Amino acid sequence: MNILETPLPGVLVIEPRVIADERGYFMETYSARRYRDEAGIALPFVQDNVSRSRQGVLRGLHVQRRHPQGKLIQVLEGSVFDVAVDVNPDSPDFGRYAAVALSAADHRQLWIPPGYAHGFCVTSHTATLHYKCTDYYDPADEWGLAWNCPDLAIPWPIDEPILSERDRHHPGLVDLARRLREQDWKNSG
C-alpha cells in the first residue's frame, strides 16, 4: 500500500495494493493492523456507509461537532472530486482544504481524520462511495459549510451542482467559525 500526504495534516490518500490478472482483481480495502502500522489510522470504525449519486450531485460540506467522524472513503463505481476542510477555528490550518479525485478505476482511498468537514461532487454518470466511520452519524450534531464559500475558493469541477435543500443553506467559513466558537468547539468532545 502506498500512502500520500495532502496539504492538510492527517488527511491521506491511500493506494491499496491491487492484484490484477485476466480474471479481474483482488484488493484488501482495510486491515486494522496494516492501516494502523503503515498509515497511522488507529481509531476503531463503528459504522459503514454507502452513497450513490448521479452526475452533478454535490454532497457537503458536512461535519459533526460533538461526535466527529473520521472517514475512510473509497469509490466503488464511477468517480468523484472529494474535499476535506479544516473547520476547527483554533487550528493553524483553519480554512485550508485538500481536494482529491477518486475513482473506481484507480482504487484510491481518502482518509479524513475526525473534525474535518467533508464533501464530494460526482464527476461520472453515477458514483457509488463506501466509507467507514469512526463515530456514529448523529443528525442533530451535523453542521455544514457552504460548498461555494469564496473564502475557501475550492475548484469544484461544476458551477451549478445538484444540492439537497439543507446543503443550499450552509454558512460560509467566517460565519461557521463564529457559530462553532459560540458552541465552544474546543470542549465539544
Side-chain angles (χ1 to χ4, degrees):
M1 138 170 121
N2 189 29
I3 300 163
L4 308 170
E5 294 184 5
T6 71
L8 287 180
V11 177
L12 304 172
V13 175
I14 300 170
E15 298 174 335
R17 183 172 171 232
V18 179
I19 302 166
D21 61 22
E22 67 280 351
R23 300 170 296 159
Y25 70 87
F26 172 84
M27 167 182 52
E28 183 179 85
T29 61
Y30 177 74
S31 162
R33 179 178 26 222
R34 176 171 290 139
Y35 280 60
R36 179 193 65 229
D37 294 348
E38 296 181 30
I41 302 170
L43 297 170
F45 290 104
V46 298
Q47 180 176 318
D48 282 24
N49 300 319
V50 173
S51 171
R52 187 165 197 271
S53 304
R54 63 186 172 115
Q55 188 168 27
V57 167
L58 192 151
R59 296 183 184 268
L61 299 156
H62 303 143
V63 65
Q64 291 189 172
R65 184 181 64 82
R66 289 183 307 279
H67 303 283
Q69 295 178 303
K71 297 177 181 176
L72 181 63
I73 301 158
Q74 187 166 28
V75 176
L76 303 178
E77 170 220 356
S79 59
V80 301
F81 180 81
D82 207 297
V83 176
V85 180
D86 187 336
V87 293
N88 179 348
D90 298 324
S91 168
D93 295 305
F94 174 71
R96 290 184 55 210
Y97 67 87
V100 178
L102 300 174
S103 73
D106 66 25
H107 306 288
R108 297 188 322 163
Q109 299 172 318
L110 182 63
W111 163 245
I112 303 173
Y116 287 100
H118 171 246
F120 65 89
C121 177
V122 177
T123 56
S124 55
H125 182 66
T126 58
T128 303
L129 280 73
H130 174 263
Y131 49 105
K132 302 179 81 54
C133 299
T134 62
D135 205 338
Y136 298 103
Y137 174 66
D138 181 356
D141 189 33
E142 188 170 66
W143 294 63
L145 174 60
W147 70 276
N148 58 350
C149 175
D151 294 324
L152 296 173
I154 297 170
W156 294 102
I158 189 166
D159 292 324
E160 295 185 29
I162 302 164
L163 301 166
S164 71
E165 190 59 34
R166 177 185 59 170
D167 287 348
R168 291 178 197 277
H169 303 288
H170 292 315
L173 188 64
V174 173
D175 192 33
L176 178 65
R178 181 187 54 76
R179 293 178 188 187
L180 291 171
R181 280 192 177 100
E182 288 172 358
Q183 295 293 320
D184 193 9
W185 174 268
K186 263 177 125 169
N187 298 315
S188 62

